[in-house]
Amino acid sequence: MAESITPSNIFKDQGRGAAVGRAGGDWKYKFFSYLLLTMIAFTMIVPFMWMLSTSLKPEKEILRRNVFPVEPTLDNYSEVINETDLPLWYKNSFIVAVMSTVSVAFFDSLAGFVFAKYNFPGKRPIFIIFLTSLMVPTEMLLIPWFIMSSNPPIGPTWVDTYWGIAFPGVITASGIFLMRQFMQGVPDELLDAGRIDGVSEFGLYWRVAVPLSLPAIGALCIFNFLGNWNAFIWPLIATTRSEMFTLPVGIQQFSSEADTPWNLIMTGASLSVVPLLIVVIIFQRYIIEGIALTGLKG
């Protein structure tokens, strides 16, 4: 028997058609989204794979167009590790990155806590000055930094020292802004309860705000470590002796006017990526949580 045409049946058919239309639209949206993401991932992975492949090629294969080495070898790694100062450059980069990261984790989070939870004269102008400093290109600060390093207010010259390489990044305006945005979400009731229990103001920061802000602090530390590990311009200016070079500066020294040993350069670059991969793999949860949660804070 044919189904009778009633208003309810008409609305039911329209609803079914709309659901089919939405399903078709969702399928197309997902398809093109995955296609776009795959293309972006491909453009990022190919140079990385080419770097690893070149590090395994003997010198005679460097200028060939083959993607993978025909005769793979580990001689490049043996030469870079045993016949250059790369292990020393590794140590220098690690010390500078850790110094800067620890300093940023403490001072940026402390400043962010103060700006988020305290009212004091000049609070808004001072915070605006911090934000304004983000608009100044790093290249414009190199000369003042070098003058300060060459003629420091206290002590001998900072050139060719770990402190001289690290001091421009011991506190960052972007980190203060990030931590302020996150610290605004720390409940004031917890701070008031701590004051009633006799906790000092610094204790409120250390015992209440910091544990609640670990995702944001973790994300800040990771980004700061990556930035300092890959820094090139300032470490190049702040160092004159090979034994004080950081990894990017040291790898650049492989190249000369007469020759560019791409196999050694790519090998050094491949080795320099290892700590970054370890840090990201271990702490990627903090990156995601820090970015997501900070974006939700007022």
Side-chain angles (χ1 to χ4, degrees), residues 210-222:
V210 168
L212 294 176
S213 305
L214 285 180
I217 295 175
L220 175 64
C221 290
I222 292 171

Side-chain angles (χ1 to χ4, degrees), residues 35 55 58 67 110 125 129 144 161 165 183 187 196 216 236-237 239 245 280:
L35 179 63
S55 70
V67 178
L110 181 59
I129 291 174
T161 64
I165 303 173
M183 292 289 187
I196 294 174
L236 176 65
I237 296 174
T239 55
F245 286 166
V280 172

Side-chain angles (χ1 to χ4, degrees), residues 62-99:
I62 294 299
L63 298 181
R64 295 181 184 177
R65 295 185 178 181
N66 54 299
V67 178
F68 300 102
V70 178
E71 301 176 2
T73 178
L74 294 177
D75 291 343
N76 297 327
Y77 288 88
S78 176
E79 181 176 353
V80 166
I81 294 174
N82 297 321
E83 300 181 17
T84 69
D85 290 331
L86 186 123
L88 181 60
W89 302 336
Y90 237 94
K91 184 192 75 171
N92 295 340
S93 291
F94 183 78
I95 291 175
V96 171
V98 170
M99 285 176 58

Side-chain angles (χ1 to χ4, degrees), residues 176-198:
I176 292 175
F177 176 75
L178 173 72
M179 295 309 306
R180 172 187 175 272
Q181 294 301 103
F182 195 93
M183 292 289 187
Q184 287 180 336
V186 175
D188 293 332
E189 293 78 6
L190 292 179
L191 302 180
D192 294 336
R195 292 187 180 98
I196 294 174
D197 290 339

Side-chain angles (χ1 to χ4, degrees), residues 24-41:
D26 292 342
W27 180 86
K28 294 179 181 179
Y29 174 77
K30 290 182 179 179
F31 174 78
F32 285 108
S33 297
Y34 284 117
L35 179 63
L36 177 62
L37 293 175
T38 301
M39 294 173 60
I40 295 174

Side-chain angles (χ1 to χ4, degrees), residues 9-253:
N9 291 337
I10 294 176
F11 289 135
K12 185 185 301 182
D13 293 339
Q14 290 178 346
R16 189 182 301 113
V20 172
R22 287 195 299 272
D26 292 342
W27 180 86
K28 294 179 181 179
Y29 174 77
K30 290 182 179 179
F31 174 78
F32 285 108
S33 297
Y34 284 117
L35 179 63
L36 177 62
L37 293 175
T38 301
M39 294 173 60
I40 295 174
F42 184 76
T43 58
M44 298 177 64
I45 292 175
V46 168
F48 182 77
M49 296 303 298
W50 191 281
M51 176 186 69
L52 293 178
S53 174
T54 304
S55 70
L56 296 173
K57 291 180 180 179
E59 189 173 1
K60 62 182 180 181
E61 292 187 29
I62 294 299
L63 298 181
R64 295 181 184 177
R65 295 185 178 181
N66 54 299
V67 178
F68 300 102
V70 178
E71 301 176 2
T73 178
L74 294 177
D75 291 343
N76 297 327
Y77 288 88
S78 176
E79 181 176 353
V80 166
I81 294 174
N82 297 321
E83 300 181 17
T84 69
D85 290 331
L86 186 123
L88 181 60
W89 302 336
Y90 237 94
K91 184 192 75 171
N92 295 340
S93 291
F94 183 78
I95 291 175
V96 171
V98 170
M99 285 176 58
S100 176
T101 300
V102 172
S103 175
V104 163
F106 177 73
F107 288 110
D108 284 10
S109 61
L110 181 59
F113 175 72
V114 171
F115 279 117
K117 295 302 180 182
Y118 294 92
N119 292 317
F120 51 89
K123 169 184 174 179
R124 185 175 180 82
I126 294 174
F127 186 70
I128 292 176
I129 291 174
F130 274 112
L131 295 183
T132 305
S133 66
L134 295 173
M135 304 178 189
V136 181
T138 303
E139 292 75 12
M140 294 183 62
L141 300 173
L142 295 177
I143 294 177
W145 287 347
F146 184 75
I147 294 175
M148 183 183 299
S149 299
S150 302
N151 302 282
I154 301 176
T157 178
W158 295 346
V159 177
D160 285 327
T161 64
Y162 292 128
W163 170 249
I165 303 173
F167 87 89
V170 294
I171 185 169
T172 62
S174 58
I176 292 175
F177 176 75
L178 173 72
M179 295 309 306
R180 172 187 175 272
Q181 294 301 103
F182 195 93
M183 292 289 187
Q184 287 180 336
V186 175
D188 293 332
E189 293 78 6
L190 292 179
L191 302 180
D192 294 336
R195 292 187 180 98
I196 294 174
D197 290 339
V199 180
S200 65
E201 295 301 316
F202 183 81
L204 295 176
Y205 156 76
W206 187 254
R207 299 170 60 183
V208 178
V210 168
L212 294 176
S213 305
L214 285 180
I217 295 175
L220 175 64
C221 290
I222 292 171
F223 290 131
N224 186 80
F225 184 90
L226 300 182
N228 280 276
W229 184 268
N230 293 321
F232 175 76
I233 296 180
W234 174 245
L236 176 65
I237 296 174
T239 55
T240 60
R241 296 183 291 117
S242 175
E243 55 267 26
M244 287 305 300
F245 286 166
T246 57
L247 203 53
V249 179
I251 293 176
Q252 183 266 343
Q253 301 300 314

